[in-house]
Structure formats: C-alpha cells, structure tokens
Amino acid sequence: LATLGTGDFFGETALLGDETRTATVVAEEPATLLRLNRREVLAVAAEDREFDRHLQSAAVDRQRAPDAGD
C-alpha cells in the first residue's frame, strides 16, 4: 500500500510494460486526476529526459516493492 500526494502518479507499470493493470486505487479524499493514454505519456517522455527517467525509476521501484501487484 502507498499513500500518494500532489504530483504523484500511478499506472506506470502497466503503461510501460504494455500489461494489464495490477492495482486498485482508492482516493481517501476528493482529488483531481489527469488521465493520459500510452501515446501521450510516451510522447512527453520522448521530449523530456528528466520525466522519462522519473517514470522509468518509479516503475522499477514499484516492481521491486515486496507487495507489488497485490
């Protein structure tokens, strides 16, 4: 389990690995979310190396988590 905050994201593992999502996300309070599809995210990553590194790092870190995918 994780608590995310302003600027955090989820879904990168399924997006980058072309996999079915493995997690369920529940908001603890009202939230505004931005939904991007694979094409949009990959276009931004191609233009912004820092964003790409952050996205890749987050995917690796979450896959290494002891309860990843549960």
Side-chain angles (χ1 to χ4, degrees):
L1 295 176
T3 300
L4 305 179
T6 301
D8 288 334
F9 53 86
F10 55 90
E12 73 287 340
T13 301
L15 180 106
L16 295 173
D18 194 21
E19 301 170 5
T20 303
R21 68 179 182 84
T22 59
T24 299
V25 178
V26 178
E28 293 179 338
E29 57 189 59
T32 300
L33 304 176
L34 175 64
R35 178 181 177 181
L36 301 172
N37 64 37
R38 176 188 317 276
R39 181 182 49 79
E40 294 164 333
V41 172
L42 295 180
V44 172
E47 294 293 322
D48 186 332
R49 294 181 87 130
E50 183 176 344
F51 172 75
D52 185 48
R53 282 191 296 269
H54 185 63
L55 187 64
Q56 298 289 339
S57 177
V60 168
D61 290 348
R62 291 197 184 144
Q63 287 179 338
R64 287 182 181 162
D67 59 350
D70 290 343

